[in-house]
Amino acid sequence: MTRTFLRREVRMNLVTRAEWNAKKPSSPYTRLRSTKGVKIHYTGGKVPADLADAGNHDRCADLVRDIQRMHMAGGRGERYIDLGYNMVCCPHRQVFVGRGPHHLPAANGAGLNSGHYAVLALLGSSGLTEPNDDLLHALVDAIEYLREHGDAGREVKGHRDGYDTSCPGDPLYRWVEAGAERP
């Protein structure tokens, strides 16, 4: 079950940690008062090409849980206390709470996490690689949510803007560079 918030006549479908059956963090989060803004990420791997199809939203929650398990098990070379992202957006216009607002992310890179919240798009380097309008709306919903509830600043950048990576992929990065506007 998701909660729908009406904000400035825009619906946001927020999936709480309890609703996606998140594991508890292995230790307390580091608190952030505010950030300069948000950095946008993608999975960097294969995302099923049909993930955005109607009726496949349950697979989004599975993917979020898989990423959390991988992060907590040290699958990227470093063991995180939780999912490394503050929010996760899916192509069904749902926004999953990861670490949430006012919590230090782990996904931006060493020394870069305190400057920006980390928002993951369920988009990959293969399979589903092009964001649909619902995913872009969810990303804007997450950005606005972090501004309202986490004191995020106005910057919207790609992960590659601070770290040598291809993240968030060329299609999503073009959207970031164009101003990260609603479609």
Side-chain angles (χ1 to χ4, degrees):
M1 176 178 209
T2 61
R3 288 189 267 175
T4 302
F5 292 91
L6 191 59
R7 298 172 12 264
R8 285 184 250 127
E9 299 184 33
V10 175
R11 290 190 180 276
M12 177 181 176
N13 297 310
L14 188 70
V15 183
T16 67
R17 289 178 61 86
E19 291 166 339
W20 65 267
N21 295 317
K23 290 182 181 181
K24 292 184 183 205
S26 61
S27 62
Y29 297 122
T30 299
R31 181 163 169 76
L32 285 177
R33 276 188 25 173
S34 63
T35 67
K36 293 184 252 180
V38 172
K39 284 199 177 158
I40 304 297
H41 296 254
Y42 77 155
T43 69
K46 182 176 172 75
V47 171
D50 64 349
L51 185 69
D53 291 356
N56 284 347
H57 176 61
D58 59 328
R59 293 170 61 194
C60 295
D62 292 341
L63 188 53
V64 174
R65 284 189 294 274
D66 287 347
I67 294 167
Q68 183 192 39
R69 273 191 294 277
M70 184 263 299
H71 281 183
M72 293 178 81
R76 293 254 166 108
E78 183 179 350
R79 192 175 297 245
Y80 296 160
I81 63 168
D82 193 4
L83 179 71
Y85 307 99
N86 299 91
M87 311 295 279
V88 180
C89 301
C90 86
H92 303 97
R93 198 172 178 176
Q94 304 284 311
V95 180
F96 293 78
V97 177
R99 292 184 180 208
H102 291 295
H103 297 132
L104 183 75
N108 292 330
L112 301 173
N113 289 311
S114 63
H116 295 85
Y117 287 114
V119 176
L120 175 68
L122 292 183
L123 200 66
S125 56
S126 65
L128 182 62
T129 60
E130 294 282 338
N132 66 8
D133 284 354
D134 281 342
L135 179 57
L136 297 177
H137 278 295
L139 287 164
V140 175
D141 291 343
I143 291 164
E144 290 177 353
Y145 182 85
L146 289 168
R147 287 176 178 157
E148 292 172 20
H149 299 281
D151 295 313
R154 304 303 300 172
E155 287 185 354
V156 178
K157 296 184 174 262
H159 184 200
R160 67 175 70 172
D161 288 320
Y163 191 80
D164 186 20
T165 179
S166 61
C167 185
D170 291 338
L172 197 52
Y173 191 64
R174 283 191 294 274
W175 174 76
V176 169
E177 286 187 305
E181 298 291 328
R182 286 198 186 274

